[in-house]
Amino acid sequence: MSTLSLPISISFCPNSLSIQFQSQHRRQRVTFPRKVKIICSGTEQPQQPPPRQQYSKKKNVTEGEKGVDPVGFLTKLGISHKAFAQFLRERHKALKDLKDEILKRHVNFRDMSTGYEILGMHRHVEHRVDYLEWAPGARYCALVGDFNGWSPTENCAREGHFGHDDFGYWFIILEDKLREGEKPDELYFQQYNYVDDFDKGDSGVTIEEIFKKANDEYWEPGEDRFVKNRFEVPAKLYEQIFGPNGPQTLEEMEKIMEETPDPETRHKAWKEQHKNDPPSNLPPFDVIDNGKEYDIFNVVSSPEWLEKIRAKKPPLAYWLETRKGRKAWLKKYTPGIPHGSKYRVYFNTPSGPLERVPAWATYVQPDGKQAYAIHWEPPPECVFKWKNKHPKVPKSLRIYECHVGISGSEPKISSFNDFTEKVLPHVKEAGYNAIQLIGVIEHKDYFTVGYRVTNFYAVSSRYGTPDDFKRLVDEAHGLGLLVFLEIVHSYSAADEMVGLSLFDGSNDCYFHTGKRGHHKYWGTRMFNYGDPDVLHFLLSNLNWWVVEYQIDGFQFHSLSSMMYTHNGFASFTGDLEEYCNQYVDKDALLYLILANEILHYLHPHIVTIAEDVTVYPGLCEPPSQGGLGFDYYVNLSVPEMWSSFLENVPDHEWSMSKIVSTLMRNTQYANKMLMYAENHNQSISGGRSFAEILFGEIGEHAQCSKESLLRGCSLHKMIRLITFTIGGRAYLNFMGNEFGHPKRVEFPMPSNNFSFQLANRRWDLLANGLHCDLFCFDKDLMKLDETEKILSRGLPLIHHVDDNTMVISYMRGPFLFAFNFHPTNSYERYNVGVEEAGEYQVILNTDETKYGGQALMKDDQYLRRTISKRIDGLRNCLEVSLPSRSAQVYKLSRILRV
């Protein structure tokens, strides 16, 4: 920053100080405290007065906040429930208090959600690696690894503030080692560019030459005068006021101050003396102490002077010139912890010594029962470079759910690279616009499908390296696919050697103590969402995946496990009392609100999806209106209904009313629903996929009749068509189910002797036959939304549901959807209502031969014209042909004016 030479005059009065400046434009004033300590010793520095604290009146929690209504969504929906409304108001107040508590420890909420920038292991520009860990229950902390012979004493946290603070954070510095024959850097704070300009060597320019160059080129004439002569101003002022033989004691000072004219008189005399000076020599301030105690540091500056100062750019370029490149660093130093080194964190706790995998580790590899972290710091020339930008979020989501490990055809764990090369092109060809990955975050046991997470900041090493996963995401973006992660913040693995359980020897580090800290049925650990440090860990984790791996959205897994102390294992009748009673974890709800607010603020195009079997009120409402802030919620009852029908209910007993009511479960938020006929839950570890139920052991051990294949193929298509078109703006399909994968998924586990036989996908079935027909239909179904924007239109008008004929019909914009679920009855001229008179053309028919159907509809039946007859409450009637177990999509192709 620039320094300007300014004429200054100082006057003293008893117990007061006045400094006066004169601007060429107007008098300006600065006031100082009346009690000033005068120190004339050359060795003692004067103490600065404490900064003034600023206080502001607190606004009413529920009033005075523009656009905020804690019960807004209840008012919008016309719901009146006193207890739940009071709960929402109390939750809003608790959220305000939580935010105030967070801001006492963090600069802002961005700082709150970027803990990964300082916690864990990071390369510092001053030839060292810094490590920071949170372990409040530990008494001693050290890093052990192959880089120090696993010694618990060589690299430990120092005593005092720079090693351990009151919040339980431990700080360790790993200094790079000076090579033999090399001398230490002349500049103590010598910095190195490890990534940018990494090929820059030692230029040979000394620090003195750079500073001289900065002074010669940067400062204007006279500006550096007081930089070079720091004591010139106070010495001249002291001599001007007191003469060459000034007072040396306080008593002498007080006597002289009594005889000195008051500050205003002296200031006027000074102005008269300098009235003919050029304006550039006049100071930018007027400073007068008017004797008011509350007028502390009231500084008014000259706008012209401020503009000149602000236009002056700081001399950062000269400082950056002192930085050297990685080439110079490698010549002088060897890394304190090389890339690829194995390490763990060592704690001494009241229960004894422990070794743990660091909580913020970004790459972890298992080693038997225990795991170790891998220091991931590849050379700059090998660092992954992003090529593609985030695709634009579409108005409708067609999500392809994947598990990387089982995505290959061979009986083994597939890798990120295999998935990138083989599966991503298939997803693009199938017409989906997003992928959702499960089991990507590091977990110890493969058979848990990735739900028992052990290391929240690490991609699973069984699939590849962090850079391999970045390549997968980048290639997906290049194909126009969004990438979502299924995130598990509702619980954590109970593993102590690898995960976070008993991390620092205490039972309450990241989790609740006692029974509440354990899931009632799954044996997992439950997070303590009321702890600010736990919130810091989880919120930073969400932001980490977006910033580091360019993730486009999250599906929050099993919210009912975290929102209720009974973990969601209770009967729900729909009464609002069940969502605000003593079993609701308010801290978990506050975390979800914070997560959505911060994610959507930092990344406006992020997509968040809630998986909650209880459908908590306000899931997809904005937090300002009393909601939790999600973009979509999953309708979990749909796949359960279809599974129940297929396995337990004869075809002729299917209830059309139940199908429609389940698909349109929550009409207020139907537009926010994510629908799916089946996902991985229906076909993993004990369950059966719909294709397995419908077709059985097709083409292998059993001979399926033509009728059985036709039935299975028809229902498979109809279930997907109605689920896809009747719901909200999002649809999901699990990998392989689009072509009727005949086998369930079963991960290697002790019960199957760790077999990989069912832990793969049969992509070879797409070559021909029934599975090729099913894939062709699913591809055209996705294309229907891509070209006609079916999902992004308004909600459907369901006007015909008949349990006797087993026919369902509904309108969505200019499209008519007609379904005949009857197993035997076909209808040649079935009457359904339409609002607009005109000609309707069939654009999709499940019974076509290319989809494995019988083609029972004749060519002349593909175009139908309305008749003027009121039916189903609509003004016009359309006579349609409905073969048994078939469905058609009609589009209004021509409007007729009657």
Side-chain angles (χ1 to χ4, degrees):
M1 188 173 182
S2 173
T3 303
L4 301 178
S5 58
L6 305 172
I8 306 173
S9 61
I10 301 181
S11 298
F12 288 96
C13 291
N15 300 324
S16 67
L17 169 66
S18 177
I19 304 179
Q20 297 185 352
F21 300 87
Q22 175 62 38
S23 171
Q24 56 180 322
H25 301 283
R26 66 179 183 272
R27 168 178 288 185
Q28 300 169 349
R29 177 173 62 193
V30 178
T31 57
F32 291 87
R34 297 183 61 82
K35 295 182 179 180
V36 180
K37 182 178 180 181
I38 307 298
I39 301 176
C40 299
S41 170
T43 58
E44 186 176 0
Q45 298 295 325
Q47 297 182 359
Q48 297 294 331
R52 180 178 62 172
Q53 295 182 353
Q54 297 181 359
Y55 300 92
S56 60
K57 294 182 179 179
K58 289 186 177 180
K59 296 181 180 179
N60 188 285
V61 172
T62 58
E63 298 179 2
E65 299 176 65
K66 188 175 181 180
V68 176
D69 183 2
V71 295
F73 81 91
L74 293 182
T75 306
K76 181 182 73 172
L77 299 176
I79 298 175
S80 177
H81 194 282
K82 186 176 180 180
F84 189 68
Q86 181 62 25
F87 175 81
L88 292 180
R89 293 188 180 95
E90 292 175 356
R91 191 183 73 188
H92 179 74
K93 183 180 183 303
L95 179 63
K96 295 276 290 181
D97 295 339
L98 176 61
K99 289 181 177 179
D100 291 340
E101 183 181 355
I102 290 173
L103 293 178
K104 290 178 182 178
R105 295 178 55 179
H106 300 274
V107 177
N108 49 39
F109 290 103
R110 183 196 176 280
D111 179 66
M112 169 70 171
S113 60
T114 52
Y116 54 83
E117 293 181 352
I118 57 173
L119 279 118
M121 191 168 289
H122 299 278
R123 166 62 59 182
H124 195 279
V125 293
E126 294 172 6
H127 54 82
R128 72 172 197 251
V129 172
D130 294 343
Y131 176 80
L132 188 65
E133 189 67 79
W134 181 62
R139 296 175 177 175
Y140 175 87
C141 178
L143 282 176
V144 297
D146 52 12
F147 64 95
N148 63 6
W150 301 93
S151 170
T153 58
E154 185 171 339
N155 300 105
C156 60
R158 295 177 292 180
E159 294 293 334
H161 178 72
F162 290 101
H164 182 213
D165 67 5
D166 295 336
F167 294 100
Y169 287 89
W170 296 87
F171 181 59
I172 300 175
I173 295 178
L174 302 176
E175 295 282 357
D176 293 333
K177 301 173 183 176
L178 198 66
R179 294 185 184 273
E180 186 177 354
E182 294 289 337
K183 296 180 180 180
D185 291 308
E186 296 180 6
L187 183 62
Y188 180 72
F189 294 106
Q190 178 65 59
Q191 297 183 354
Y192 292 86
N193 287 319
Y194 297 94
V195 178
D196 299 328
D197 298 328
F198 61 87
D199 56 346
K200 179 181 177 182
D202 192 342
S203 61
V205 180
T206 64
I207 189 63
E208 289 79 9
E209 293 174 334
I210 292 178
F211 285 166
K212 184 179 184 304
K213 179 181 178 183
N215 290 332
D216 293 342
E217 297 179 359
Y218 179 76
W219 300 108
E220 296 180 10
E223 283 187 339
D224 61 342
R225 174 182 173 190
F226 298 114
V227 175
K228 298 179 179 179
N229 305 282
R230 297 180 181 274
F231 297 102
E232 181 179 347
V233 172
K236 285 191 174 183
L237 289 175
Y238 190 81
E239 184 178 352
Q240 176 186 346
I241 296 172
F242 304 113
N245 298 317
Q248 301 296 317
T249 64
L250 287 177
E251 290 77 8
E252 295 179 4
M253 177 72 72
E254 290 176 0
K255 183 177 179 180
I256 292 179
M257 289 171 64
E258 291 175 358
E259 300 173 356
T260 304
D262 63 278
E264 190 169 357
T265 303
R266 294 188 72 256
H267 183 58
K268 290 179 179 179
W270 181 85
K271 285 198 299 182
E272 183 66 23
Q273 181 182 354
H274 297 279
K275 64 182 180 180
N276 296 324
D277 289 359
S280 59
N281 289 346
L282 294 178
F285 302 112
D286 266 348
V287 186
I288 296 178
D289 183 359
N290 61 6
K292 296 180 180 179
E293 293 287 348
Y294 57 83
D295 275 341
I296 301 175
F297 302 132
N298 185 15
V299 181
V300 182
S301 304
S302 166
E304 289 75 12
W305 181 79
L306 283 178
E307 185 177 354
K308 180 179 179 181
I309 288 297
R310 287 169 180 165
K312 194 79 172 177
K313 295 182 180 179
L316 294 179
Y318 302 100
W319 176 252
L320 294 177
E321 195 172 340
T322 65
R323 284 190 175 185
K324 301 176 181 178
R326 190 173 187 271
K327 183 177 178 181
W329 168 66
L330 286 175
K331 181 181 178 182
K332 186 180 286 288
Y333 295 97
T334 58
I337 176 170
H339 168 62
S341 297
K342 304 175 183 178
Y343 70 96
R344 286 193 284 264
V345 60
Y346 173 93
F347 296 123
N348 192 357
T349 69
S351 57
L354 302 172
E355 283 189 16
R356 295 285 186 257
V357 175
W360 299 75
T362 59
Y363 190 32
V364 179
Q365 286 188 348
D367 184 15
K369 292 184 178 181
Q370 198 170 20
Y372 47 79
I374 302 294
H375 179 53
W376 189 254
E377 188 188 359
E381 59 270 18
C382 300
V383 171
F384 181 82
K385 302 294 192 303
W386 295 94
K387 298 181 296 183
N388 301 299
K389 297 182 179 180
H390 292 267
K392 184 179 179 181
V393 178
K395 292 183 179 180
S396 62
L397 292 175
R398 304 183 299 274
I399 305 172
Y400 195 82
E401 188 181 40
C402 316
H403 187 285
V404 174
I406 65 171
S407 62
S409 299
E410 300 179 4
K412 66 174 186 177
I413 298 177
S414 296
S415 66
F416 288 132
N417 292 334
D418 295 335
F419 185 92
T420 302
E421 296 171 4
K422 299 177 183 179
V423 180
L424 286 183
H426 169 78
V427 178
K428 180 64 177 178
E429 179 190 358
Y432 292 84
N433 57 18
I435 61 172
Q436 179 170 296
L437 299 171
I438 61 175
V440 166
I441 304 174
E442 188 61 80
H443 49 287
K444 177 187 173 185
D445 298 318
Y446 185 50
F447 66 85
T448 63
V449 200
Y451 287 128
R452 298 190 180 184
V453 177
T454 52
N455 310 99
F456 285 79
Y457 286 80
V459 295
S460 181
S461 60
R462 56 175 59 88
Y463 309 135
T465 66
D467 284 356
D468 293 337
F469 183 60
K470 289 180 181 179
R471 177 173 172 261
L472 185 156
V473 175
D474 194 46
E475 291 295 328
H477 286 168
L479 293 172
L481 301 173
L482 299 175
V483 181
F484 299 156
L485 279 189
E486 187 165 21
I487 197 82
V488 186
H489 280 185
S490 48
Y491 52 82
S492 176
D495 193 281
E496 299 175 11
M497 303 302 293
V498 183
L500 298 177
S501 185
L502 299 178
F503 180 70
D504 61 353
S506 64
N507 199 30
D508 57 353
C509 183
Y510 286 93
F511 310 105
H512 287 290
T513 57
K515 292 183 178 180
R516 191 176 176 185
H518 298 266
H519 196 285
K520 296 181 67 174
Y521 298 97
W522 299 342
T524 50
R525 297 304 309 271
M526 307 305 296
F527 284 106
N528 180 8
Y529 302 100
D531 191 319
D533 292 291
V534 176
L535 291 179
H536 184 42
F537 177 82
L538 294 175
L539 293 172
S540 297
N541 183 239
L542 294 173
N543 200 23
W544 159 261
W545 290 104
V546 180
V547 173
E548 182 69 14
Y549 293 105
Q550 305 291 301
I551 296 301
D552 301 289
F554 299 100
Q555 177 172 315
F556 287 73
H557 171 73
S558 188
L559 294 187
S560 56
S561 296
M562 61 187 289
M563 293 194 301
Y564 309 97
T565 56
H566 52 58
N567 304 131
F569 286 84
S571 60
F572 281 82
T573 62
D575 187 355
L576 288 179
E577 183 70 29
E578 298 167 340
Y579 301 105
C580 60
N581 57 24
Q582 69 272 23
Y583 301 109
V584 177
D585 189 343
K586 187 183 294 184
D587 291 333
L589 296 177
L590 296 182
Y591 161 70
L592 293 175
I593 294 173
L594 271 180
N596 278 295
E597 283 189 335
I598 292 176
L599 280 175
H600 285 93
Y601 177 77
L602 296 178
H603 313 285
H605 301 295
I606 202 76
V607 176
T608 57
I609 305 170
E611 183 190 279
D612 174 27
V613 69
T614 67
V615 193
Y616 193 87
L619 269 178
C620 296
E621 291 286 351
S624 62
Q625 300 302 304
L628 300 186
F630 287 96
D631 297 305
Y632 297 93
Y633 76 96
V634 182
N635 189 341
L636 294 168
S637 59
V638 173
E640 295 177 1
M641 176 198 67
W642 291 127
S643 296
S644 176
F645 276 11
L646 290 174
E647 292 190 300
N648 305 316
V649 182
D651 292 358
H652 63 278
E653 294 182 8
W654 283 22
S655 170
M656 302 298 103
S657 301
K658 183 176 181 180
I659 290 175
V660 172
S661 62
T662 304
L663 290 170
M664 300 296 292
R665 176 180 181 182
N666 194 340
T667 55
Q668 293 94 343
Y669 300 109
N671 201 38
K672 298 284 188 178
M673 277 195 299
L674 185 152
M675 303 278 280
Y676 62 88
E678 59 175 331
N679 74 344
H680 65 277
N681 291 328
Q682 278 65 53
S683 58
I684 281 185
S685 301
R688 291 194 298 167
S689 69
F690 288 0
E692 190 172 5
I693 298 172
L694 291 169
F695 305 125
E697 300 291 335
I698 180 173
E700 291 185 10
H701 304 293
Q703 295 295 327
C704 296
S705 65
K706 182 178 179 181
E707 292 76 12
S708 177
L709 289 178
L710 184 61
R711 168 187 176 269
C713 183
S714 300
L715 290 178
H716 193 276
K717 291 177 291 186
M718 293 180 68
I719 287 173
R720 272 161 172 71
L721 177 60
I722 192 171
T723 305
F724 181 74
T725 57
I726 202 174
R729 293 183 291 113
Y731 173 79
L732 181 143
N733 170 72
F734 181 60
M735 175 176 60
N737 289 345
E738 72 277 7
F739 62 84
H741 196 280
K743 296 290 186 178
R744 67 183 185 277
V745 178
E746 189 172 277
F747 285 81
M749 60 183 70
S751 61
N752 60 16
N753 295 322
F754 299 98
S755 170
F756 283 87
Q757 183 178 359
L758 297 177
N760 52 38
R761 297 281 88 178
R762 294 281 307 278
W763 302 110
D764 58 291
L765 297 175
L766 288 170
N768 49 47
L770 172 67
H771 301 286
C772 180
D773 297 339
L774 293 177
F775 177 63
C776 182
F777 173 78
D778 192 82
K779 185 162 58 172
D780 286 351
L781 185 60
M782 298 302 110
K783 187 177 180 180
L784 179 67
D785 178 62
E786 184 177 356
T787 57
E788 305 292 351
K789 313 298 180 187
I790 298 292
L791 300 187
S792 56
R793 296 180 182 272
L795 293 177
L797 172 61
I798 304 174
H799 58 269
H800 189 97
V801 180
D802 193 325
D803 286 321
N804 294 322
T805 60
M806 299 185 70
V807 173
I808 299 173
S809 178
Y810 53 88
M811 297 287 298
R812 195 162 188 174
F815 301 94
L816 171 69
F817 299 86
F819 296 82
N820 179 13
F821 280 93
H822 203 286
T824 56
N825 292 350
S826 298
Y827 308 101
E828 284 294 327
R829 305 177 71 86
Y830 194 92
N831 293 339
V832 295
V834 292
E835 185 64 28
E836 194 73 50
E839 293 181 349
Y840 288 79
Q841 175 77 39
V842 174
I843 59 174
L844 185 66
N845 178 17
T846 63
D847 194 42
E848 290 188 17
T849 54
K850 65 177 180 179
Y851 302 143
Q854 297 176 290
L856 297 178
M857 283 186 65
K858 300 177 182 178
D859 292 341
D860 59 352
Q861 294 175 322
Y862 272 66
L863 182 64
R864 311 298 290 178
R865 178 176 290 189
T866 59
I867 58 178
S868 182
K869 177 181 177 182
R870 193 169 185 85
I871 190 172
D872 296 332
L874 301 178
R875 292 182 297 177
N876 297 282
C877 173
L878 194 69
E879 294 181 343
V880 297
S881 174
L882 292 177
S884 63
R885 288 202 187 105
S886 71
Q888 292 78 36
V889 181
Y890 290 83
K891 181 181 179 181
L892 178 63
S893 58
R894 181 183 176 191
I895 298 177
L896 299 179
R897 299 301 179 187
V898 180

